[in-house]
């Protein structure tokens, strides 16, 4: 591997960081103070500034209005954008839209590209990804998928119950994972359908209240009652749903890691500045060994996570599925981010748990990172299976 980023990538990282620091973080501070979140008009204003600065959608090809960066190249760029939870929204590289755009760009037909992908890429709409179901439906185990799609002539009739549909509230369209063939395993019998969110048969039950920040579009609970969609609404091919989800989730796990590393790095910077200024017991906090070790542990874990992301991104670019490496990366970075933010709060003490700093909000939001896109325990199971396969026979 060559760990050198091209000069144009370094320049983009510099510009993204400057944009986030000067344009986004002041807005973030105001939204935290008001506790009302970012308005739709405020988001549009930030997005207009990002487009004017030439920083729109780093992950998308130029024909979709993006910057055309490769997966390896966006590692530091997404980290710079992720220094604020609003930065990734401003640049149109936040979940679930970023993962949905990736999937549509690779598998959508011509009509689907024009109807759904182009306005999504332009930031004119947002989308939802409907896969997770309440118990006893699909969570970490895809074989528990209960939402059904039954063929009826040139249409499919979808029935089921989803929740944690990221981006689902107010979405223009949904990507729906459903079992289209009950006679075979989910890996061969699931299909992804695209449906307008206002189609008859779609019931939006609620936007699920949750810890941390209110993400764009929330996390909706949705029911499907005889939802009829045309055969042409299938994304990719019938029965390829599980394969498409894997194609989406591999890079998506990495992009989550990139974005959250930006938050964790900023948490480390906040804690370090506070420790260098705050005096206690006759010297600055940064002179106490216990504080130094917390700062050191955070720095070394973030460094290790970056190297894991680089290597996994490189493997994916070579055509490797990199399931082992992306699972390792997801577990390590998710748990690292939680530890780094936790240490930052501990160092900042009372100020850390106040809403005067963003640390407490990040702490709440980061907890979910160990669950979504595969819980840490599930990824450890994936990793262990390969270890056992490699070394378990005598």
């Amino acid at each position: 591997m060559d760990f050198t980023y091209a000069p144009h990538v370094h320049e983009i990282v510099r510009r993204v960081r400057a944009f986030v620091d000067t344009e986004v973080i002041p807005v973030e501070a105001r939204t935290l103070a008001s506790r009302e979140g970012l308005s739709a008009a405020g988001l549009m204003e930030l997005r207009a500034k990002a487009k004017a600065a030439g920083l729109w959608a780093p992950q998308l090809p130029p024909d979709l209005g993006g910057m055309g960066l490769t997966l390896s190249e966006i590692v530091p760029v997404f980290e710079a954008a992720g220094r604020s939870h609003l930065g990734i929204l401003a640049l149109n590289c936040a979940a679930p839209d970023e993962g949905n755009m990736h999937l549509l760009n690779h598998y959508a037909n011509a009509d689907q590209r024009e109807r759904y992908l182009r306005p999504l890429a332009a930031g004119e709409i947002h989308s939802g990804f409907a896969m997770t179901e309440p118990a006893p439906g699909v969570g970490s185990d895809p074989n528990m998928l209960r939402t059904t799609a039954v063929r009826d002539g040139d249409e499919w009739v979808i029935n089921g119950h989803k929740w944690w549909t990221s981006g689902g509230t107010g979405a223009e369209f949904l990507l729906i994972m459903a079992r289209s063939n009950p006679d075979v395993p989910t890996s061969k019998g699931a299909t992804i359908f695209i449906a307008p969110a206002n189609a008859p048969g779609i019931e939006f039950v609620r936007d699920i209240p949750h810890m941390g920040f209110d993400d764009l579009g929330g996390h909706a609970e949705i029911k499907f009652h005889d939802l009829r969609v045309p055969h042409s609404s299938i994304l990719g091919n019938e029965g390829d749903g599980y394969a498409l989800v894997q194609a989406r989730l591999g890079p998506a796990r990495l992009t989550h890691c990139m974005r959250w590393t930006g938050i964790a790095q900023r948490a480390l910077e906040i804690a370090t500045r506070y420790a260098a200024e705050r005096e206690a017991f006759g010297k600055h906090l940064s002179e106490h060994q216990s504080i130094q070790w917390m700062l050191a542990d955070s720095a070394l874990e973030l460094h290790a996570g970056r190297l894991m992301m680089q290597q996994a991104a490189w493997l994916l670019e070579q055509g490797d599925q990199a399931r082992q490496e992306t699972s390792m990366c997801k577990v390590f970075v998710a748990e690292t981010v939680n530890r780094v933010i936790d240490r930052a709060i501990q160092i900042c003490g009372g100020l850390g748990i106040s809403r005067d700093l963003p640390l407490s909000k990040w702490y709440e939001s980061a907890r979910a990172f160990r669950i979504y896109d595969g819980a840490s325990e599930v990824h450890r199971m994936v990793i262990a299976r390969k270890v056992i396969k490699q070394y378990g026979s005598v």
Side-chain angles (χ1 to χ4, degrees), residues 341 345 352-355 357-365:
I341 299 173
I345 290 174
I353 61 174
S354 76
R355 294 302 200 201
L357 291 176
L359 295 175
S360 59
K361 271 287 192 179
W362 291 344
Y363 187 73
E364 293 174 6
S365 295

Side-chain angles (χ1 to χ4, degrees), residues 33 37-38 52 57 60 81 169 172 183 211 316 330 365 382 393:
L38 183 64
L60 289 177
T169 303
E172 183 72 16
D183 299 325
M211 300 168 65
L316 287 170
K330 172 62 167 59
S365 295
V382 171
S393 59

Side-chain angles (χ1 to χ4, degrees), residues 268 271-272 275 286 291-300 343 347:
L268 173 59
T272 304
S286 59
I291 302 298
Q292 292 175 348
W293 284 13
M294 282 194 276
L295 297 175
D297 286 345
S298 293
L300 72 88
R343 294 185 192 115
I347 291 169

Side-chain angles (χ1 to χ4, degrees), residues 48-65:
K49 290 180 178 180
K51 289 180 179 180
L55 299 174
W56 184 252
Q59 77 284 2
L60 289 177
D63 70 297
L64 289 171

Side-chain angles (χ1 to χ4, degrees), residues 299-369:
L300 72 88
E301 289 175 359
L302 287 171
H303 178 63
R306 290 185 182 102
L307 294 176
M308 293 177 74
M309 284 186 281
Q310 282 184 287
Q311 192 244 0
W314 179 82
L315 283 172
L316 287 170
E317 287 181 344
Q318 309 311 305
D320 195 311
Q321 291 187 336
R323 290 185 180 176
Q324 177 89 333
E325 291 78 10
T326 55
S327 286
M328 287 180 171
C329 194
K330 172 62 167 59
V331 172
F332 184 83
V333 175
E335 297 183 359
T336 288
V337 166
N338 276 262
R339 287 192 295 267
V340 170
I341 299 173
D342 182 78
R343 294 185 192 115
I345 290 174
Q346 193 71 15
I347 291 169
C348 292
L351 180 61
I353 61 174
S354 76
R355 294 302 200 201
D356 291 346
L357 291 176
L359 295 175
S360 59
K361 271 287 192 179
W362 291 344
Y363 187 73
E364 293 174 6
S365 295
R367 182 59 184 84
F369 190 21

Side-chain angles (χ1 to χ4, degrees), residues 33-301:
S34 68
R35 300 183 182 181
E36 293 180 357
L38 183 64
S39 66
L43 175 58
M44 290 300 104
E45 183 178 352
L46 280 179
R47 288 186 162 182
K49 290 180 178 180
K51 289 180 179 180
L55 299 174
W56 184 252
Q59 77 284 2
L60 289 177
D63 70 297
L64 289 171
M67 301 178 71
L69 300 183
T70 67
L71 184 60
S72 293
E73 290 173 337
I74 67 171
V75 173
V77 175
F78 272 31
E79 177 182 336
R83 289 174 61 79
S84 169
H85 69 289
L86 300 182
I88 56 178
L89 287 172
L91 272 62
N92 199 19
C93 57
D97 286 342
E98 180 265 325
N100 290 345
M101 285 186 278
H102 172 84
L103 200 55
L104 290 167
N105 188 40
H106 283 83
Y107 298 101
N109 60 39
D111 179 67
Q112 292 166 346
R113 291 181 69 86
E114 291 300 317
R115 184 176 180 183
Y116 300 113
L117 177 56
R118 288 201 176 277
L120 186 62
E124 299 168 357
I125 60 173
H126 73 267
S127 60
F129 188 73
M131 181 174 71
T132 305
E133 301 172 352
V138 62
S140 296
D141 183 355
N143 290 311
M144 298 177 71
L145 180 66
R146 292 168 64 88
T147 297
T148 61
V150 178
R151 184 77 180 264
D152 183 18
D154 290 333
E155 293 183 322
W156 288 82
V157 182
I158 299 175
N159 284 280
H161 186 183
K162 301 288 188 180
W163 75 332
W164 292 108
T165 296
S166 298
T169 303
E172 183 72 16
F173 68 92
L174 304 174
L175 299 183
I176 304 167
M177 181 81 155
R179 186 183 288 271
S180 53
N181 185 346
D183 299 325
V184 297
T186 304
S187 59
K188 300 293 185 183
T191 300
I192 294 179
F193 298 87
I194 309 178
N198 62 356
I202 298 181
E203 175 193 357
F204 285 85
V205 179
R206 60 173 177 150
D207 188 16
I208 300 171
H210 59 87
M211 300 168 65
F213 289 107
D214 294 324
D215 302 310
L216 177 65
H219 302 275
E221 181 176 0
I222 301 173
K223 291 182 178 179
F224 303 110
H225 307 284
D226 292 332
L227 167 65
R228 287 185 170 270
V229 296
H231 185 73
S232 61
S233 70
I234 290 176
L235 182 63
N237 297 306
E238 180 185 342
D240 284 353
Y242 183 80
L244 266 62
V245 165
Q246 293 304 310
R248 180 188 187 276
L249 290 181
R253 290 180 186 120
L254 289 189
T255 55
H256 273 307
C257 292
M258 300 169 199
R259 293 183 291 250
W260 270 112
T261 296
I263 289 285
Q265 175 62 35
R266 189 168 153 219
L268 173 59
E269 294 169 13
I270 291 171
T272 304
R273 284 194 295 269
Y274 183 82
E277 296 170 357
R278 182 77 161 92
E279 290 188 8
F281 303 102
K283 54 185 176 181
H284 290 104
L285 289 181
S286 59
E287 297 178 86
H288 292 278
Q289 188 181 63
S290 60
I291 302 298
Q292 292 175 348
W293 284 13
M294 282 194 276
L295 297 175
D297 286 345
S298 293
L300 72 88
E301 289 175 359

